[in-house]
Amino acid sequence: MYNDDVELISSNDARKTTREQVKDSVLATIKPIQNTVATLKGKVFPNAINNMNAEYEASKQNAAKAAADLRNICARLPEPLRAQLDSVNWEEYDFAHNYLPKNLVVGLEEITYSFGESGKQVIQVPKEIPFYSSDNCYSFAQGDDSITIINTLVFRLAAMLPYSSQFTLIDPIKMGQSFPYTKRLPFKRMVDNDVSRVLEEILTDIVRIQNSFLDNNTERLIDVDEEILGNAKFELIVAKDFPQAYDRRSIELLAKIASTGPKAGKMVILDLDSDKALPNGAELSVLFPDLKHIYKNENQLPWNLGKGYRDSVRSTDTINAILDGLSRAKPKETKLGFSDVIEMDPELWWQEDSMEVISAPIGGSGSRKNDIELWFGERNKQPSSHGMLAAMTGAGKSNLYHAFILSLASRYSPEDLQFYLIDGKQGVEFQSYPKLPHARVVSLSTSPQLARSVLQELLDEMNRRNEMFKNLGLSDFISYRKAGSPNGKLPRLMLIIDEYQTIFEDDKTGLGSQLMISIASQSRSAGIHMFVGSQKFTVPGMSQPQATFSNINLRVAMKMSGEEVTSLQEFGSKGKQLIRGCTETGQVVVSHNGGANELPCDTGRVAYIDEQQREQMLEQLSNKWQGTNNTILLDGSEQPEIKDNTQLQTLFTAPQRLSEDEWISYANKPHHFGGLNDNEWYPIERPSVLWLGKEMNIHGQAKVILRRRAHEHMLLVGDSNEARLGMLSYMVAQLPINAQSSQYQVHILDRSIKGSQWCGVLSAANDSVLNNHASFSESFKDFSTHLTSVMAQFEKRQHMDEEEMLLEPSIFLIVNEAQRVKELVKKDNSFGMKAYSDDGGVNLATLLEQGSEYGIHLVLSFDNVRSVTKAFDRNDIESFRHKVALQMSEEDSFRFLKTRDAAKLQADGKKPIYALHIDQMQNRPTKFKPYCYSQDVILHENFEHLSNLYAKWA
């Protein structure tokens, strides 16, 4: 028993011990848990609840703020992009902006946010469909609200594009009565019974837009740069009651427009009656594969945050307000900037070489801004010899000239390229260009004769170049430049003529046409090109136009009238289609292939350069050029001034008075080198050159050369005092050019009316320039004393041998207003014959007949031919080798000159004044603009100029 009890006790103790150990272990585990629970209950749970509440309140506030921000964003949307058109105050909207409709708002989505006890917020956001960014066309189910749906779409687009939207509203059943507002829309196609014709016009327009704006880089009109896009129209074509009352042809055309139109900015909307079958079993899904229902959610760009609603314009006030606003809208002027086309940094100018080609970016097309260029020369073995421009008034022709000239001038130095710029009658487009270092000749308000002379000058230059090439064994300009320019670098020459019809006016001989043909057919090889423009390609008076046009590769057209485009022969049908699309200023069509259909034309917009930018560029070009600017300015509206006489300027490049041999060299030098082009200059004849004005050509200066030969006298006739007195006073002032004061004598009789503005002009020449070297008389009584002295010298010289006589000074007798010298009037004598009653008249008649051979020259001025005939008979008049006539009647012109040309001198108006010089020995009239007296200031400026020149030789 004992043992068993011991074992039992031991066993119980063990269990007890184990139980205590388990208890202790459990307590040790539970206590931390109890402590943790206590901590959670005391601290963590209350803080978590508080944090959760705070975070909830913060989230609620953030959501409310986000909703408010979204509402504010929607409220700040431009009016045409808001969800509901009826909610906008259109009377206050200015319709001053275009919003290109890649997408179109068709309704709204109402998003509701609930904030529990704080309530809820409702936000309306616009709901859109892909529009001109897609290839879709759209439809909606025909019903009672069809008109409302169409009106909503029309006025949505009109508000978005107030001056760039166009509408074609087809209503075959009600003949347009469904849309009574159509005539008030700014741009619309009027639809008549011939729906197919209207749709064909739209297809033609699609082709024009594709050719004008779109390419592989710019596939959609919506993506064209706005500066190039200009005022191109995005069109909405609505087919009401489709397909009822539409024939198969109209349906097929609509389908074609729906397929090709979206890229060209043409969108089709069908008011679709699904119960009506298409004719001849046609299927809608086949004809219109991209047709989408405009209000189905899957065809829209939804927010998917709320319920969608359709926008509906039901208020006539909204429609009228938008229409009134559209009528006030002024199109925004969009211009492609010149800085987008050329490099504007002068440091980077003149980097191009003109050896093979000269090219000028002038504008851009599509998304590119400088891919429209005009080029001349040879590129990839394709020649471009000459160019021609036609554009109606207001098309932007003048700006194109400026862009072309300055683009070339920025790319090529004056050593590589030079310009001959001719403005037609009343033209002043090129008046800023005399400062351009590239400009060799600038002619403003150019007369026909002067214009032809510029062409003649270029033809002469061509012949000079070709002769030089031939002598060097070279074929043309390119081979000369490749050979290293052995005789010096030659620039390419670019002739630009605005209103080129001037060349053919008053051209009885056809010289202008012949010059054009010669230059067009021959000058490219000499590096000479022309670019001419007018309102038409073919102009009046031009003979054999095809002989010229066949050599003109470059054809440029801008906006023209429909009749002109239809009658064009210079472009093929494809080119004419593009020209019809030039409806805005600056739009241009360019063909380098003679306008042929086989090769595509370039179309786009010419970059605009304003006057300030043009003047700045001219100043920068002038500053960049380190050489001398020798531009010849020919201003057809102004009288010439002697200080601009290039032959005089060349003469006084000599540091001292010329020797006899130097005079011969100068006289023999051609006009284009600044010489007299006179091969009969013999010092033994003591020739005296006196310039009268500017001939009607580039280099010619009107002049007389008085030699010691028979009848070397001069007679000026005409009623223009300012011209006669101007020529006489400048002749007096020029006498020191030919000889020192000891080698000539001058005796002046000025019978100008005392107190008149003409009185004192001749004496001013004597005082200012001759230092009173001349004898000056205002009455014949005083003059007769000098005349008697001259007669004595004449008689003395008659008895001298030739060499002795040649040492005597030349004598000039100058009489102004000779009609007021009564001693010169012949009267009937006792035998019934006309004779002088005064010895003075007899002496002048004697000197007229024989004096010039002995160095005595008469220069007489009369106001009309009748006065001349009172002093001289027909034979006497023929004794004046040099005759200068101003405007006079046909009868007087013929009596005086044996030609009626002097009757037409002022055919275009009283100003500028023209004169006609006839050398009896050559019997060829030369038209010129004489030096005139108009203001004392100008007169004395020119006198001072001459005095300064003479001082160099003193």
Side-chain angles (χ1 to χ4, degrees), residues 744 746 748 762-776:
Y744 68 91
V746 191
I748 301 172
L762 280 174
S763 64
N766 184 33
D767 295 343
S768 301
V769 186
L770 301 191
N771 297 318
N772 291 312
H773 176 68
S775 70
F776 185 83

Side-chain angles (χ1 to χ4, degrees), residues 134-319:
S134 75
D135 290 325
N136 299 337
C137 63
Y138 290 99
S139 69
F140 57 87
Q142 187 184 79
D144 294 338
D145 57 353
S146 288
I147 298 296
T148 300
I149 292 173
I150 293 172
N151 291 348
T152 303
L153 297 172
V154 166
F155 289 103
R156 172 74 67 180
L157 189 62
M160 292 178 71
L161 301 172
Y163 37 81
S164 297
S165 56
Q166 183 172 1
F167 300 93
T168 301
L169 306 179
I170 306 172
D171 185 19
I173 294 179
K174 292 190 177 182
M175 300 295 292
Q177 293 179 9
S178 301
F179 314 113
Y181 52 77
T182 301
K183 65 181 180 181
R184 294 184 62 189
L185 291 170
F187 304 100
K188 64 275 182 181
R189 292 185 197 269
M190 301 309 296
V191 183
D192 53 21
N193 289 331
D194 192 354
V195 174
S196 295
R197 179 190 59 79
V198 176
L199 296 176
E200 286 171 349
E201 288 179 1
I202 295 173
L203 281 170
T204 300
D205 208 25
I206 290 172
V207 173
R208 178 191 63 79
I209 290 171
Q210 288 172 342
N211 292 332
S212 298
F213 297 104
L214 309 183
D215 55 28
N216 61 314
N217 295 312
T218 309
E219 295 184 354
R220 295 182 178 277
L221 189 66
I222 200 80
D223 296 325
V224 174
D225 192 282
E226 189 175 0
E227 293 175 334
I228 295 171
L229 186 64
N231 292 325
K233 301 294 182 288
F234 291 86
E235 188 166 7
L236 182 66
I237 301 102
V238 177
K240 179 79 170 64
D241 297 315
F242 186 85
Q244 187 178 1
Y246 290 81
D247 59 25
R248 186 176 181 88
R249 175 63 177 159
S250 297
I251 293 173
E252 289 174 346
L253 290 170
L254 264 173
K256 196 167 185 179
I257 293 170
S259 174
T260 60
K263 285 184 170 64
K266 312 287 182 186
M267 182 62 67
V268 172
I269 304 289
L270 301 182
D271 172 30
L272 183 62
D273 185 352
S274 300
D275 295 332
K276 300 292 182 182
L278 272 65
N280 300 326
E283 294 185 17
L284 190 69
S285 60
V286 175
L287 289 173
F288 298 89
D290 296 310
L291 184 64
K292 310 288 185 185
H293 193 290
I294 198 167
Y295 293 119
K296 283 191 175 181
N297 199 57
E298 63 265 23
N299 299 327
Q300 298 180 346
L301 302 172
W303 295 70
N304 288 327
L305 296 174
K307 187 175 181 180
Y309 296 90
R310 191 178 75 205
D311 183 27
S312 295
V313 175
R314 300 185 181 277
S315 170
T316 57
D317 292 340
T318 297
I319 292 175

Side-chain angles (χ1 to χ4, degrees), residues 448-506:
Q449 183 180 351
L450 182 55
R452 290 190 285 271
S453 78
V454 176
L455 266 65
Q456 183 64 62
E457 165 65 19
L458 280 169
L459 199 60
D460 293 341
E461 175 66 17
M462 178 192 78
N463 292 330
R464 289 191 290 266
R465 288 187 174 195
N466 286 336
E467 183 67 23
M468 180 179 68
F469 298 157
K470 180 180 177 182
N471 293 337
L472 292 170
L474 301 170
S475 58
D476 57 15
F477 178 85
I478 294 177
S479 62
Y480 176 80
R481 290 286 291 270
K482 286 183 176 180
S485 303
N487 286 359
K489 193 171 184 178
L490 291 177
R492 285 190 184 267
L493 301 180
M494 172 59 68
L495 168 66
I496 302 177
I497 308 177
D498 184 28
E499 305 299 342
Y500 84 101
Q501 69 271 14
T502 302
I503 296 169
F504 313 111
E505 295 176 6
D506 303 326

Side-chain angles (χ1 to χ4, degrees), residues 15 43 80 159 263 290 298 330 374 467 486 488 490 540 652 743 771 829 837:
R15 283 197 296 270
K43 296 181 180 180
K263 285 184 170 64
D290 296 310
E298 63 265 23
K330 294 182 179 180
L374 308 182
E467 183 67 23
L490 291 177
F652 278 91
Q743 297 174 314
N771 297 318
N829 60 16
S837 59

Side-chain angles (χ1 to χ4, degrees), residues 556-573:
V556 182
M558 304 181 80
K559 184 167 64 173
M560 303 173 71
S561 68
E563 295 81 1
E564 289 295 334
V565 176
T566 301
S567 62
L568 278 181
Q569 301 296 318
E570 293 76 23
F571 276 85
S573 58

